[in-house]
Amino acid sequence: MEKIEQANQEAVRRMLAADPVLVDVVPAREAIPTLGDHMILHAGPPIEWDRMCGPMRGAVTGIAVFEGWADELETAASMAAAGDFAFHPNHDFDAVGPMTGMTTLNQPVMVVENRAFGNRAYCTINEGLGKVMRFGGNDDEVLNRLRWLRDVLGPALKAAILDCGGIPLKNIVARGLAMGDEMHQRNVACSGLTLRELAPPLARTLRDGDKLAETLAFIGGNDQFFLNIAMAMGKAITDPVRDIDGSSVVTAMCRNGTDFGIRVSGTGDSWFTAPVEMPEGLYFPGFTEADANPDMGDSTIVETMGLGGFAMGASPAVAGFVGAGAASDAANFTRNMSEITVAENPEWTIPAMDYAGVPTGIDIRLVVDTDMAPTINTGIAHKDAGVGQVGAGVVRAPMACFKQALVALADRLGVA
């Protein structure tokens, strides 16, 4: 249908024309003025307390203590069950969050501005690995780290980013792909490249030597520091693609540990949801599949813009890390994803695949026609609150979401 083809070409044009720049770090209350007291933004499509999985509940109770809304975790759980907190998806507030995806008033968020279209997107700062809130951790160690992010790292990053006038991100991603990153489960190169940009302005603006050392050590020791930047970048790139009449291109994929949801350009902000899948992967010593929670997080915005599982060909090491097969199989994941996308990105290429561009613009028609759902690289959280990450793996988006969206788009176009 010509109208859909033209609309999809416009969708991809907007994605490729994006100019994402990391421009600031501010408290979430400043970035999102409509974020109020006792409001908790979470990953995935809408969900209420009674349907939340274990790690999501753990994060909710932890963030309530962090914000001072409850003195202890048990009190926070009772308040949540009584309806004292308002839950909303990050995506409804120009934000995204990894795994449980908690965003509340006093957390610092990184601000990525798409200078080609003038929109901004937000994501909290990556906490590091192990027991962290995004995987449902909520003990004193987790909360004290969040306080350090709020009181030390956030203000330090803000001063450094303002000092250097912002950090353009497209070139960092391009170089990261050439250095073995796929920007979801492997961000080693992009984290290092970002630290190289941040170190001089941090040295100029952070005069406390101890805090400067802590800040550099935290970023340098966190291989996934760039993930949250990539997520805010993905949100900034895909938001201008929303609401193109007739377009069948996906603008968001996300999951809350219970449901997987997608949005499609031609159907506006409607959610199409289905039960989320269980990742297949490798587990840390002492853990097995019996410990795992189903897939969760807004980080699938990375795949939505053509990275992560779609760029596996750039990152053979990730194939082994997530249990997706041999390193030599990595390129096949990228080739398969090219069958369900509209175009390749000429600026984000994979040297090992003869500089093929990453597959860009997921077309729900192609997903349904080929019966091939998007591949997603993901971390695996323990099913119980308070434990944290137990492994990493690969998961497929549920096909039912795409079939529902295709029916809804056909209804809008009068071709059902």
Side-chain angles (χ1 to χ4, degrees), residues 53 72 88 104 111 145 147 205 231-232 267 275 316 339 341 360 368:
C53 62
E72 54 187 11
H88 299 277
T104 51
V111 183
R145 188 185 303 111
R147 294 179 183 113
T205 57
M231 290 176 60
T267 57
E339 295 186 26
T341 49
T360 303
V368 174

Side-chain angles (χ1 to χ4, degrees), residues 177-377:
L177 286 167
M179 297 166 71
D181 281 359
E182 42 73 80
M183 264 59 72
H184 198 159
Q185 280 302 306
R186 191 179 193 278
N187 282 282
V188 178
C190 283
S191 296
L193 292 168
T194 303
L195 178 57
R196 198 163 72 170
E197 295 289 328
L198 286 169
L202 279 170
R204 286 194 296 269
T205 57
L206 189 53
R207 302 303 173 88
D208 185 314
D210 290 339
K211 290 182 178 178
L212 176 60
E214 288 176 11
T215 297
L216 294 174
F218 179 84
I219 299 173
N222 182 1
D223 289 349
Q224 286 288 70
F225 181 76
F226 190 78
L227 171 62
N228 295 36
I229 299 173
M231 290 176 60
M233 175 182 68
K235 181 67 174 168
I237 288 175
T238 55
D239 268 0
V241 183
R242 295 157 60 191
D243 298 317
I244 300 174
D245 185 28
S247 175
S248 55
V249 167
V250 174
T251 57
M253 299 192 293
C254 58
R255 57 274 203 239
N256 55 36
T258 301
D259 301 319
F260 192 109
I262 70 169
R263 282 174 166 170
V264 176
S265 177
T267 57
D269 287 340
S270 298
W271 287 109
F272 303 98
T273 64
V276 73
E277 303 282 352
M278 182 69 77
E280 295 182 3
L282 299 178
Y283 291 87
F284 300 158
F287 297 103
T288 69
E289 185 176 348
D291 300 304
N293 195 77
D295 194 29
M296 62 192 310
D298 290 331
S299 54
T300 32
I301 196 68
V302 171
E303 275 79 9
T304 308
M305 65 174 164
L307 299 172
F310 285 54
M312 192 95 87
S315 190
V318 164
F321 175 67
V322 299
S328 56
D329 294 332
N332 292 331
F333 285 90
T334 296
R335 292 190 186 99
N336 288 339
M337 293 302 96
S338 69
E339 295 186 26
I340 60 171
T341 49
V342 177
E344 293 183 358
N345 188 325
E347 294 184 287
W348 289 349
T349 62
I350 301 175
M353 297 182 67
D354 296 329
Y355 293 96
V358 298
T360 303
I362 302 167
D363 186 341
I364 58 172
R365 299 174 307 166
L366 297 176
V367 172
V368 174
D369 285 348
T370 61
D371 195 30
M372 185 184 300
T375 296
I376 298 159
N377 295 343

Side-chain angles (χ1 to χ4, degrees), residues 24-32 105-111 120 122 154 158:
D24 206 347
V25 175
V26 299
R29 62 179 184 276
E30 294 181 15
I32 309 171
L105 287 171
N106 291 301
Q107 291 178 282
V109 294
M110 297 181 291
V111 183
R120 290 187 167 193
Y122 315 105
K158 176 183 181 68

